[in-house]
Amino acid sequence: MAVLIQEEIELVNNEVAMRIFGQRDRNLKLIEEEFDVEILARGNYLQIEGDDEREVEKVVKLFKELSKVVTNEHSLDEREMEYAIKLAVEDKFNLDRIYSDIVQVTHKGRKIKPKTIGQKVYIDAIRNQDIVFGIGPAGTGKTYLAVVMAVNALITNQVRRIILTRPAIEAGENLGFLPGDLQEKVDPYLRPLYDGLYEVLGPKKVDELLEQEIIEIAPLAYMRGRTLKDSFVILDEAQNTTSAQMKMFLTRLGVNSKAVINGDITQVDLSSRKTSGLNQVRKILAGISGIEFVYLTNKDVVRHRLVQKIIEAYESKV
C-alpha cells in the first residue's frame, strides 16, 4: 500500500498566494494535473499530498521558486507559468535567475525580461560577446530581444548608433521595380524591426532617432563598403543571406561595435543553388573567441502556446 506523502508551505502573504494560484486556482489545477498531486490551499498556506515523494518534492520546490519571483506587484502570465511548470517537471529550478533580469523598461513602463532559459543565455551572450548568432525557430524572441538590447546599449551610452538590417530576399535585393521611395520599398521587409523599436521606445522617439540617423534601418545590400563603428548592428533573417553577403556583413564591423545575427536555418528562402550564409558560418567561425552561437529551441517559443505545438508537429514530420 502506497504511503501518502504530505508537505506544507507558507507563502509570503495572501496577495502573493492569489497571484501564484491564478484565476479560480487555475495554476494549482495545472500543477496537480502535471504532477499527480493534490494541493489544498487555505489563505497563504498550502498542503501538498501525493504518493510519490519525488513528485511532491518537485512541487514544493516549484512553489518556493514561484514565491521568489511573484510579489504583490508582479505575477507570471499564463505562458510563463506553464514554462515554470515544465522546468519543474525536468527538475530545473532557474526561475529567479531568469525573471529577475530586467533588460529594459519600455516607454510605457513595462519591464522586459527573459522568459526562458534559452532567452537568458542569449541575452547574457549579447552582453558578454562582440558577435552573437541567435539561431532558432519563429517565436523565440530572437529579433525582439536583440532590438531591446540595442536600445539598452544606446541609452546607456555603450554605442552611439543602432543599425538594423535584413536581406530583402523576396525582391532579390533588387528593389528598384517596387513603387515609392527607398523607405517605402524596404519598409515591408523591415517591419519586425520597427515593431520592436516602437514597443520599447514609442513611435515618436523612434521617428526622432531615425530623423537624426541615430537609428538606421536599411536592407542588407546597402551595408556594402561601409565601416560600422560605435554601433549596435543587428542582421535579421540571416538564413537568407548568401555566403558572400554574410562575409560582407561581418567584415563591416568597426571599433567599439557589437553585432547580433539572427535566423532560422529551417526557413531558408534562397534558391536551391545558393548556400545559406548563416548555415555555413556556423562551421567557419566555430571556436573563435568573442563570437558565440546561441541555439534557441521550441521550448523557448513565447508566442501563443499553439506556435510551439505547430513547430513540434512540423519537426516530427520532416
Side-chain angles (χ1 to χ4, degrees), residues 69-96:
V69 296
V70 174
T71 65
N72 291 345
E73 293 80 32
H74 175 71
S75 57
L76 303 183
D77 61 30
E78 182 179 324
R79 182 68 184 81
E80 290 169 332
M81 185 61 72
E82 289 175 352
Y83 185 71
I85 293 170
K86 285 183 179 179
L87 285 184
V89 170
E90 298 173 7
D91 209 9
K92 297 176 182 177
F93 297 94
N94 304 85
L95 292 185
D96 189 37

PDB file of all heavy atoms in Angstrom, residues 69-96:
ATOM      1  N   VAL A  69       9.775  34.957  -7.277  1.00  0.00           N
ATOM      2  CA  VAL A  69       9.586  35.859  -8.414  1.00  0.00           C
ATOM      3  C   VAL A  69       8.211  36.527  -8.450  1.00  0.00           C
ATOM      4  O   VAL A  69       8.032  37.541  -9.117  1.00  0.00           O
ATOM      5  CB  VAL A  69       9.831  35.119  -9.756  1.00  0.00           C
ATOM      6  CG1 VAL A  69      11.259  34.659  -9.847  1.00  0.00           C
ATOM      7  CG2 VAL A  69       8.881  33.941  -9.924  1.00  0.00           C
ATOM      8  N   VAL A  70       7.246  35.957  -7.756  1.00  0.00           N
ATOM      9  CA  VAL A  70       5.915  36.558  -7.692  1.00  0.00           C
ATOM     10  C   VAL A  70       5.830  37.419  -6.432  1.00  0.00           C
ATOM     11  O   VAL A  70       6.095  36.959  -5.337  1.00  0.00           O
ATOM     12  CB  VAL A  70       4.812  35.480  -7.677  1.00  0.00           C
ATOM     13  CG1 VAL A  70       3.445  36.117  -7.471  1.00  0.00           C
ATOM     14  CG2 VAL A  70       4.830  34.685  -8.971  1.00  0.00           C
ATOM     15  N   THR A  71       5.472  38.682  -6.622  1.00  0.00           N
ATOM     16  CA  THR A  71       5.371  39.614  -5.495  1.00  0.00           C
ATOM     17  C   THR A  71       3.984  40.244  -5.494  1.00  0.00           C
ATOM     18  O   THR A  71       3.131  39.917  -6.322  1.00  0.00           O
ATOM     19  CB  THR A  71       6.422  40.727  -5.609  1.00  0.00           C
ATOM     20  OG1 THR A  71       6.131  41.526  -6.773  1.00  0.00           O
ATOM     21  CG2 THR A  71       7.826  40.150  -5.752  1.00  0.00           C
ATOM     22  N   ASN A  72       3.760  41.167  -4.557  1.00  0.00           N
ATOM     23  CA  ASN A  72       2.476  41.868  -4.508  1.00  0.00           C
ATOM     24  C   ASN A  72       2.199  42.651  -5.792  1.00  0.00           C
ATOM     25  O   ASN A  72       1.061  42.927  -6.132  1.00  0.00           O
ATOM     26  CB  ASN A  72       2.445  42.834  -3.313  1.00  0.00           C
ATOM     27  CG  ASN A  72       2.413  42.076  -1.991  1.00  0.00           C
ATOM     28  OD1 ASN A  72       2.146  40.885  -1.963  1.00  0.00           O
ATOM     29  ND2 ASN A  72       2.671  42.776  -0.907  1.00  0.00           N
ATOM     30  N   GLU A  73       3.288  43.054  -6.495  1.00  0.00           N
ATOM     31  CA  GLU A  73       3.140  43.876  -7.696  1.00  0.00           C
ATOM     32  C   GLU A  73       3.303  43.074  -8.991  1.00  0.00           C
ATOM     33  O   GLU A  73       2.942  43.552 -10.061  1.00  0.00           O
ATOM     34  CB  GLU A  73       4.177  45.019  -7.706  1.00  0.00           C
ATOM     35  CG  GLU A  73       3.976  46.069  -6.635  1.00  0.00           C
ATOM     36  CD  GLU A  73       4.501  45.632  -5.277  1.00  0.00           C
ATOM     37  OE1 GLU A  73       5.493  44.877  -5.250  1.00  0.00           O
ATOM     38  OE2 GLU A  73       3.901  46.029  -4.265  1.00  0.00           O
ATOM     39  N   HIS A  74       3.863  41.899  -8.908  1.00  0.00           N
ATOM     40  CA  HIS A  74       4.195  41.170 -10.138  1.00  0.00           C
ATOM     41  C   HIS A  74       3.730  39.725 -10.062  1.00  0.00           C
ATOM     42  O   HIS A  74       3.904  39.051  -9.049  1.00  0.00           O
ATOM     43  CB  HIS A  74       5.707  41.180 -10.371  1.00  0.00           C
ATOM     44  CG  HIS A  74       6.130  40.348 -11.538  1.00  0.00           C
ATOM     45  ND1 HIS A  74       5.876  40.707 -12.841  1.00  0.00           N
ATOM     46  CD2 HIS A  74       6.778  39.156 -11.598  1.00  0.00           C
ATOM     47  CE1 HIS A  74       6.346  39.778 -13.659  1.00  0.00           C
ATOM     48  NE2 HIS A  74       6.896  38.838 -12.932  1.00  0.00           N
ATOM     49  N   SER A  75       3.114  39.277 -11.150  1.00  0.00           N
ATOM     50  CA  SER A  75       2.752  37.865 -11.265  1.00  0.00           C
ATOM     51  C   SER A  75       3.186  37.356 -12.628  1.00  0.00           C
ATOM     52  O   SER A  75       3.497  38.145 -13.524  1.00  0.00           O
ATOM     53  CB  SER A  75       1.239  37.678 -11.091  1.00  0.00           C
ATOM     54  OG  SER A  75       0.532  38.447 -12.037  1.00  0.00           O
ATOM     55  N   LEU A  76       3.223  36.062 -12.797  1.00  0.00           N
ATOM     56  CA  LEU A  76       3.610  35.467 -14.072  1.00  0.00           C
ATOM     57  C   LEU A  76       2.378  35.311 -14.950  1.00  0.00           C
ATOM     58  O   LEU A  76       1.305  34.955 -14.462  1.00  0.00           O
ATOM     59  CB  LEU A  76       4.258  34.098 -13.842  1.00  0.00           C
ATOM     60  CG  LEU A  76       5.494  34.069 -12.928  1.00  0.00           C
ATOM     61  CD1 LEU A  76       6.053  32.656 -12.875  1.00  0.00           C
ATOM     62  CD2 LEU A  76       6.553  35.032 -13.412  1.00  0.00           C
ATOM     63  N   ASP A  77       2.552  35.572 -16.249  1.00  0.00           N
ATOM     64  CA  ASP A  77       1.416  35.367 -17.145  1.00  0.00           C
ATOM     65  C   ASP A  77       1.251  33.873 -17.415  1.00  0.00           C
ATOM     66  O   ASP A  77       2.043  33.042 -16.948  1.00  0.00           O
ATOM     67  CB  ASP A  77       1.571  36.168 -18.444  1.00  0.00           C
ATOM     68  CG  ASP A  77       2.805  35.770 -19.254  1.00  0.00           C
ATOM     69  OD1 ASP A  77       3.224  34.602 -19.187  1.00  0.00           O
ATOM     70  OD2 ASP A  77       3.355  36.637 -19.968  1.00  0.00           O
ATOM     71  N   GLU A  78       0.224  33.552 -18.179  1.00  0.00           N
ATOM     72  CA  GLU A  78      -0.115  32.148 -18.416  1.00  0.00           C
ATOM     73  C   GLU A  78       1.037  31.375 -19.040  1.00  0.00           C
ATOM     74  O   GLU A  78       1.352  30.259 -18.623  1.00  0.00           O
ATOM     75  CB  GLU A  78      -1.356  32.090 -19.325  1.00  0.00           C
ATOM     76  CG  GLU A  78      -1.851  30.688 -19.611  1.00  0.00           C
ATOM     77  CD  GLU A  78      -3.084  30.698 -20.495  1.00  0.00           C
ATOM     78  OE1 GLU A  78      -3.919  31.617 -20.337  1.00  0.00           O
ATOM     79  OE2 GLU A  78      -3.213  29.801 -21.360  1.00  0.00           O
ATOM     80  N   ARG A  79       1.679  31.980 -20.029  1.00  0.00           N
ATOM     81  CA  ARG A  79       2.785  31.314 -20.727  1.00  0.00           C
ATOM     82  C   ARG A  79       3.968  31.101 -19.784  1.00  0.00           C
ATOM     83  O   ARG A  79       4.609  30.049 -19.804  1.00  0.00           O
ATOM     84  CB  ARG A  79       3.199  32.174 -21.932  1.00  0.00           C
ATOM     85  CG  ARG A  79       4.309  31.562 -22.781  1.00  0.00           C
ATOM     86  CD  ARG A  79       3.831  30.328 -23.512  1.00  0.00           C
ATOM     87  NE  ARG A  79       4.904  29.688 -24.249  1.00  0.00           N
ATOM     88  CZ  ARG A  79       5.795  28.869 -23.718  1.00  0.00           C
ATOM     89  NH1 ARG A  79       5.740  28.591 -22.423  1.00  0.00           N
ATOM     90  NH2 ARG A  79       6.729  28.311 -24.458  1.00  0.00           N
ATOM     91  N   GLU A  80       4.263  32.095 -18.959  1.00  0.00           N
ATOM     92  CA  GLU A  80       5.381  31.993 -18.018  1.00  0.00           C
ATOM     93  C   GLU A  80       5.113  30.915 -16.970  1.00  0.00           C
ATOM     94  O   GLU A  80       6.020  30.170 -16.589  1.00  0.00           O
ATOM     95  CB  GLU A  80       5.626  33.345 -17.353  1.00  0.00           C
ATOM     96  CG  GLU A  80       6.190  34.393 -18.288  1.00  0.00           C
ATOM     97  CD  GLU A  80       6.173  35.784 -17.693  1.00  0.00           C
ATOM     98  OE1 GLU A  80       5.305  36.065 -16.846  1.00  0.00           O
ATOM     99  OE2 GLU A  80       7.025  36.609 -18.074  1.00  0.00           O
ATOM    100  N   MET A  81       3.870  30.840 -16.509  1.00  0.00           N
ATOM    101  CA  MET A  81       3.530  29.822 -15.508  1.00  0.00           C
ATOM    102  C   MET A  81       3.651  28.421 -16.100  1.00  0.00           C
ATOM    103  O   MET A  81       4.175  27.499 -15.451  1.00  0.00           O
ATOM    104  CB  MET A  81       2.112  30.060 -14.998  1.00  0.00           C
ATOM    105  CG  MET A  81       1.703  29.117 -13.869  1.00  0.00           C
ATOM    106  SD  MET A  81       2.750  29.249 -12.385  1.00  0.00           S
ATOM    107  CE  MET A  81       2.209  30.847 -11.755  1.00  0.00           C
ATOM    108  N   GLU A  82       3.194  28.252 -17.318  1.00  0.00           N
ATOM    109  CA  GLU A  82       3.318  26.947 -17.977  1.00  0.00           C
ATOM    110  C   GLU A  82       4.783  26.558 -18.138  1.00  0.00           C
ATOM    111  O   GLU A  82       5.152  25.392 -17.962  1.00  0.00           O
ATOM    112  CB  GLU A  82       2.621  26.976 -19.337  1.00  0.00           C
ATOM    113  CG  GLU A  82       1.104  27.033 -19.239  1.00  0.00           C
ATOM    114  CD  GLU A  82       0.434  27.192 -20.593  1.00  0.00           C
ATOM    115  OE1 GLU A  82       1.160  27.411 -21.594  1.00  0.00           O
ATOM    116  OE2 GLU A  82      -0.801  27.102 -20.647  1.00  0.00           O
ATOM    117  N   TYR A  83       5.623  27.539 -18.462  1.00  0.00           N
ATOM    118  CA  TYR A  83       7.055  27.269 -18.609  1.00  0.00           C
ATOM    119  C   TYR A  83       7.675  26.903 -17.264  1.00  0.00           C
ATOM    120  O   TYR A  83       8.503  25.986 -17.185  1.00  0.00           O
ATOM    121  CB  TYR A  83       7.757  28.490 -19.191  1.00  0.00           C
ATOM    122  CG  TYR A  83       9.229  28.252 -19.479  1.00  0.00           C
ATOM    123  CD1 TYR A  83       9.630  27.436 -20.528  1.00  0.00           C
ATOM    124  CD2 TYR A  83      10.211  28.842 -18.691  1.00  0.00           C
ATOM    125  CE1 TYR A  83      10.969  27.208 -20.796  1.00  0.00           C
ATOM    126  CE2 TYR A  83      11.558  28.622 -18.953  1.00  0.00           C
ATOM    127  CZ  TYR A  83      11.928  27.808 -20.008  1.00  0.00           C
ATOM    128  OH  TYR A  83      13.266  27.576 -20.253  1.00  0.00           O
ATOM    129  N   ALA A  84       7.262  27.593 -16.200  1.00  0.00           N
ATOM    130  CA  ALA A  84       7.769  27.287 -14.858  1.00  0.00           C
ATOM    131  C   ALA A  84       7.443  25.846 -14.473  1.00  0.00           C
ATOM    132  O   ALA A  84       8.278  25.131 -13.895  1.00  0.00           O
ATOM    133  CB  ALA A  84       7.175  28.260 -13.842  1.00  0.00           C
ATOM    134  N   ILE A  85       6.242  25.410 -14.813  1.00  0.00           N
ATOM    135  CA  ILE A  85       5.834  24.040 -14.506  1.00  0.00           C
ATOM    136  C   ILE A  85       6.659  23.043 -15.303  1.00  0.00           C
ATOM    137  O   ILE A  85       7.099  22.004 -14.779  1.00  0.00           O
ATOM    138  CB  ILE A  85       4.324  23.856 -14.781  1.00  0.00           C
ATOM    139  CG1 ILE A  85       3.496  24.699 -13.798  1.00  0.00           C
ATOM    140  CG2 ILE A  85       3.921  22.379 -14.676  1.00  0.00           C
ATOM    141  CD1 ILE A  85       2.019  24.774 -14.138  1.00  0.00           C
ATOM    142  N   LYS A  86       6.931  23.361 -16.578  1.00  0.00           N
ATOM    143  CA  LYS A  86       7.750  22.469 -17.403  1.00  0.00           C
ATOM    144  C   LYS A  86       9.161  22.334 -16.847  1.00  0.00           C
ATOM    145  O   LYS A  86       9.748  21.253 -16.847  1.00  0.00           O
ATOM    146  CB  LYS A  86       7.801  22.983 -18.847  1.00  0.00           C
ATOM    147  CG  LYS A  86       6.532  22.738 -19.626  1.00  0.00           C
ATOM    148  CD  LYS A  86       6.666  23.200 -21.071  1.00  0.00           C
ATOM    149  CE  LYS A  86       5.397  22.933 -21.857  1.00  0.00           C
ATOM    150  NZ  LYS A  86       5.492  23.386 -23.256  1.00  0.00           N
ATOM    151  N   LEU A  87       9.707  23.444 -16.367  1.00  0.00           N
ATOM    152  CA  LEU A  87      11.040  23.384 -15.757  1.00  0.00           C
ATOM    153  C   LEU A  87      11.040  22.477 -14.535  1.00  0.00           C
ATOM    154  O   LEU A  87      11.973  21.702 -14.320  1.00  0.00           O
ATOM    155  CB  LEU A  87      11.498  24.795 -15.357  1.00  0.00           C
ATOM    156  CG  LEU A  87      11.949  25.744 -16.466  1.00  0.00           C
ATOM    157  CD1 LEU A  87      12.460  27.040 -15.857  1.00  0.00           C
ATOM    158  CD2 LEU A  87      13.044  25.122 -17.331  1.00  0.00           C
ATOM    159  N   ALA A  88       9.998  22.601 -13.734  1.00  0.00           N
ATOM    160  CA  ALA A  88       9.911  21.774 -12.524  1.00  0.00           C
ATOM    161  C   ALA A  88       9.813  20.294 -12.871  1.00  0.00           C
ATOM    162  O   ALA A  88      10.402  19.443 -12.197  1.00  0.00           O
ATOM    163  CB  ALA A  88       8.706  22.205 -11.690  1.00  0.00           C
ATOM    164  N   VAL A  89       9.085  19.982 -13.948  1.00  0.00           N
ATOM    165  CA  VAL A  89       8.981  18.590 -14.407  1.00  0.00           C
ATOM    166  C   VAL A  89      10.360  18.037 -14.727  1.00  0.00           C
ATOM    167  O   VAL A  89      10.687  16.885 -14.404  1.00  0.00           O
ATOM    168  CB  VAL A  89       8.057  18.493 -15.641  1.00  0.00           C
ATOM    169  CG1 VAL A  89       8.153  17.101 -16.274  1.00  0.00           C
ATOM    170  CG2 VAL A  89       6.623  18.802 -15.265  1.00  0.00           C
ATOM    171  N   GLU A  90      11.196  18.881 -15.341  1.00  0.00           N
ATOM    172  CA  GLU A  90      12.559  18.474 -15.718  1.00  0.00           C
ATOM    173  C   GLU A  90      13.547  18.639 -14.566  1.00  0.00           C
ATOM    174  O   GLU A  90      14.748  18.466 -14.759  1.00  0.00           O
ATOM    175  CB  GLU A  90      13.021  19.306 -16.920  1.00  0.00           C
ATOM    176  CG  GLU A  90      12.168  19.100 -18.158  1.00  0.00           C
ATOM    177  CD  GLU A  90      12.536  20.062 -19.279  1.00  0.00           C
ATOM    178  OE1 GLU A  90      13.536  20.801 -19.134  1.00  0.00           O
ATOM    179  OE2 GLU A  90      11.836  20.062 -20.303  1.00  0.00           O
ATOM    180  N   ASP A  91      13.016  18.986 -13.393  1.00  0.00           N
ATOM    181  CA  ASP A  91      13.842  19.178 -12.191  1.00  0.00           C
ATOM    182  C   ASP A  91      14.849  20.313 -12.373  1.00  0.00           C
ATOM    183  O   ASP A  91      15.986  20.259 -11.909  1.00  0.00           O
ATOM    184  CB  ASP A  91      14.571  17.881 -11.820  1.00  0.00           C
ATOM    185  CG  ASP A  91      14.835  17.793 -10.312  1.00  0.00           C
ATOM    186  OD1 ASP A  91      14.307  18.635  -9.565  1.00  0.00           O
ATOM    187  OD2 ASP A  91      15.579  16.889  -9.893  1.00  0.00           O
ATOM    188  N   LYS A  92      14.407  21.352 -13.084  1.00  0.00           N
ATOM    189  CA  LYS A  92      15.227  22.550 -13.269  1.00  0.00           C
ATOM    190  C   LYS A  92      14.544  23.701 -12.546  1.00  0.00           C
ATOM    191  O   LYS A  92      13.367  23.958 -12.765  1.00  0.00           O
ATOM    192  CB  LYS A  92      15.382  22.889 -14.758  1.00  0.00           C
ATOM    193  CG  LYS A  92      16.106  21.829 -15.556  1.00  0.00           C
ATOM    194  CD  LYS A  92      16.130  22.209 -17.026  1.00  0.00           C
ATOM    195  CE  LYS A  92      16.822  21.139 -17.864  1.00  0.00           C
ATOM    196  NZ  LYS A  92      16.780  21.463 -19.314  1.00  0.00           N
ATOM    197  N   PHE A  93      15.300  24.387 -11.723  1.00  0.00           N
ATOM    198  CA  PHE A  93      14.714  25.473 -10.942  1.00  0.00           C
ATOM    199  C   PHE A  93      15.564  26.725 -11.104  1.00  0.00           C
ATOM    200  O   PHE A  93      16.467  26.994 -10.327  1.00  0.00           O
ATOM    201  CB  PHE A  93      14.588  25.056  -9.478  1.00  0.00           C
ATOM    202  CG  PHE A  93      13.654  23.892  -9.284  1.00  0.00           C
ATOM    203  CD1 PHE A  93      14.137  22.592  -9.251  1.00  0.00           C
ATOM    204  CD2 PHE A  93      12.289  24.096  -9.187  1.00  0.00           C
ATOM    205  CE1 PHE A  93      13.272  21.509  -9.104  1.00  0.00           C
ATOM    206  CE2 PHE A  93      11.410  23.020  -9.046  1.00  0.00           C
ATOM    207  CZ  PHE A  93      11.897  21.734  -8.995  1.00  0.00           C
ATOM    208  N   ASN A  94      15.262  27.477 -12.182  1.00  0.00           N
ATOM    209  CA  ASN A  94      16.044  28.665 -12.537  1.00  0.00           C
ATOM    210  C   ASN A  94      15.183  29.909 -12.644  1.00  0.00           C
ATOM    211  O   ASN A  94      15.582  30.900 -13.249  1.00  0.00           O
ATOM    212  CB  ASN A  94      16.741  28.451 -13.890  1.00  0.00           C
ATOM    213  CG  ASN A  94      17.612  27.222 -13.920  1.00  0.00           C
ATOM    214  OD1 ASN A  94      17.120  26.139 -14.185  1.00  0.00           O
ATOM    215  ND2 ASN A  94      18.886  27.375 -13.653  1.00  0.00           N
ATOM    216  N   LEU A  95      13.984  29.874 -12.073  1.00  0.00           N
ATOM    217  CA  LEU A  95      13.046  30.978 -12.289  1.00  0.00           C
ATOM    218  C   LEU A  95      13.599  32.315 -11.827  1.00  0.00           C
ATOM    219  O   LEU A  95      13.479  33.321 -12.525  1.00  0.00           O
ATOM    220  CB  LEU A  95      11.726  30.697 -11.566  1.00  0.00           C
ATOM    221  CG  LEU A  95      10.863  29.552 -12.095  1.00  0.00           C
ATOM    222  CD1 LEU A  95       9.550  29.520 -11.333  1.00  0.00           C
ATOM    223  CD2 LEU A  95      10.607  29.714 -13.573  1.00  0.00           C
ATOM    224  N   ASP A  96      14.190  32.332 -10.660  1.00  0.00           N
ATOM    225  CA  ASP A  96      14.685  33.598 -10.118  1.00  0.00           C
ATOM    226  C   ASP A  96      15.775  34.178 -11.010  1.00  0.00           C
ATOM    227  O   ASP A  96      15.812  35.381 -11.278  1.00  0.00           O
ATOM    228  CB  ASP A  96      15.214  33.385  -8.696  1.00  0.00           C
ATOM    229  CG  ASP A  96      15.527  34.693  -8.005  1.00  0.00           C
ATOM    230  OD1 ASP A  96      14.780  35.657  -8.215  1.00  0.00           O
ATOM    231  OD2 ASP A  96      16.518  34.759  -7.265  1.00  0.00           O
TER     232      ASP A  96
END
